[in-house]
Amino acid sequence: MIKKISVFFGFSGLVLVLVLSSSRPALAANLFVDDDSVECPEAEFTIIQDAIDEADPGDSIRVCPGTYDEQIIISKPLRIIGPLSNSAVVKPLGMTANTTNRVNGIPIAAVVLVRGTTDVTIRRLTIDGINNGITDCEPTLVGIFYRNASGEIREVAIRNMILGVGLEGCQSGLGIFAQKPVGAGRVREVRVVNSNIHDYQKNGITGNEPGIRIQATGNVVTGIGPTSGAAQNGIQIGFGATGE
């Protein structure tokens, strides 16, 4: 495809130069992560966040079996894909706030934060909050938080979004949370498919505020059973959000 035509005048008359270039985008890359370089010895990274930072939009991060002690932030279109066995476990030790609630400003500590972007797929990871280390009702504990973002969560396991002893009444412990501020651009849709969310303190899947659309299909959502603490909701679509 002709991208530019440059015209030069020389001593011998008019010279027409056509500069040709391809309009096809570069092929998406696969970046591999292995925490101990055992299961995937050729992996370029041992930390998921390092691979995310290095990736170009549209790339895929392939996470090999292992335990990953980190909180993850994604702010560009990517695919994060674990093994068929769901044996890539993101399990941070001692979580800290990495964002805020878009409505009330309360700090949030998310294991995986997807913010201000589109087309982020998270597939076949296990998200485990058992070692969160949070000692108060704030920051709010969240497994995966799509903050003014869209994409798909598929075949993911999220577990142990629970605070410690004495904090049972805190309105915290969300498996999946999708939220956007009122009036902030187009609708953000988050699809949750064939996933398992269990042992959470407050909500399994939550979509809040106008402009958020949740599509939840084929999931298993199981709370902690009878409790006198935080009132639990399996799937909440509220405060102007829509979904099915």
Side-chain angles (χ1 to χ4, degrees):
M1 178 179 179
I2 296 174
K3 299 293 288 184
K4 181 175 67 175
I5 298 177
S6 300
V7 180
F8 298 92
F9 292 92
F11 290 110
S12 59
L14 177 65
V15 179
L16 180 64
V17 180
L18 302 183
V19 181
L20 305 180
S21 66
S22 173
S23 61
R24 292 178 297 177
L27 294 176
N30 286 291
L31 288 74
F32 288 83
V33 184
D34 186 354
D35 66 325
D36 55 12
S37 300
V38 172
E39 289 79 9
C40 303
E42 302 303 318
E44 308 100 311
F45 303 93
T46 59
I47 297 172
I48 298 171
Q49 189 65 57
D50 288 349
I52 290 169
D53 294 342
E54 182 71 19
D56 292 324
D59 285 351
S60 294
I61 311 295
R62 304 281 178 168
V63 185
C64 297
T67 301
Y68 297 85
D69 174 12
E70 55 182 304
Q71 291 175 254
I72 297 167
I73 298 177
I74 305 167
S75 55
K76 52 191 166 186
L78 291 174
R79 302 174 73 225
I80 315 295
I81 304 173
L84 290 172
S85 58
N86 281 84
S87 55
V89 183
V90 184
K91 188 179 181 181
L93 176 62
M95 293 177 62
T96 59
N98 53 6
T99 187
T100 58
N101 186 302
R102 294 298 299 258
V103 172
N104 54 29
I106 291 175
I108 288 175
V111 180
V112 179
L113 169 62
V114 183
R115 63 184 183 190
T117 188
T118 60
D119 300 320
V120 172
T121 295
I122 301 170
R123 187 173 187 183
R124 294 198 301 264
L125 291 184
T126 294
I127 310 298
D128 194 335
I130 192 67
N131 294 329
N132 65 81
I134 296 173
T135 59
D136 207 338
C137 288
E138 296 181 9
T140 302
L141 174 63
V142 177
I144 300 177
F145 183 17
Y146 274 68
R147 187 182 194 267
N148 194 25
S150 61
E152 182 175 83
I153 299 166
R154 178 179 287 271
E155 299 163 349
V156 164
I158 301 177
R159 63 194 185 201
N160 298 319
M161 293 299 139
I162 302 174
L163 302 184
V165 176
L167 301 175
E168 295 86 355
C170 297
Q171 303 300 299
S172 180
L174 310 178
I176 294 169
F177 185 26
Q179 185 193 49
K180 72 184 291 289
V182 176
R186 63 181 180 176
V187 171
R188 300 292 199 180
E189 182 174 295
V190 178
R191 298 176 298 280
V192 186
V193 183
N194 296 343
S195 293
N196 190 314
I197 302 99
H198 60 93
D199 294 310
Y200 53 84
Q201 182 159 321
K202 179 57 182 174
N203 289 355
I205 300 171
T206 304
N208 281 354
E209 272 65 68
I212 282 291
R213 177 173 173 78
I214 294 287
Q215 287 190 313
T217 307
N219 304 290
V220 177
V221 183
T222 310
I224 57 176
T227 174
S228 58
Q232 294 188 321
N233 300 299
I235 300 176
Q236 172 181 306
I237 301 174
F239 303 97
T242 62
E244 56 183 303

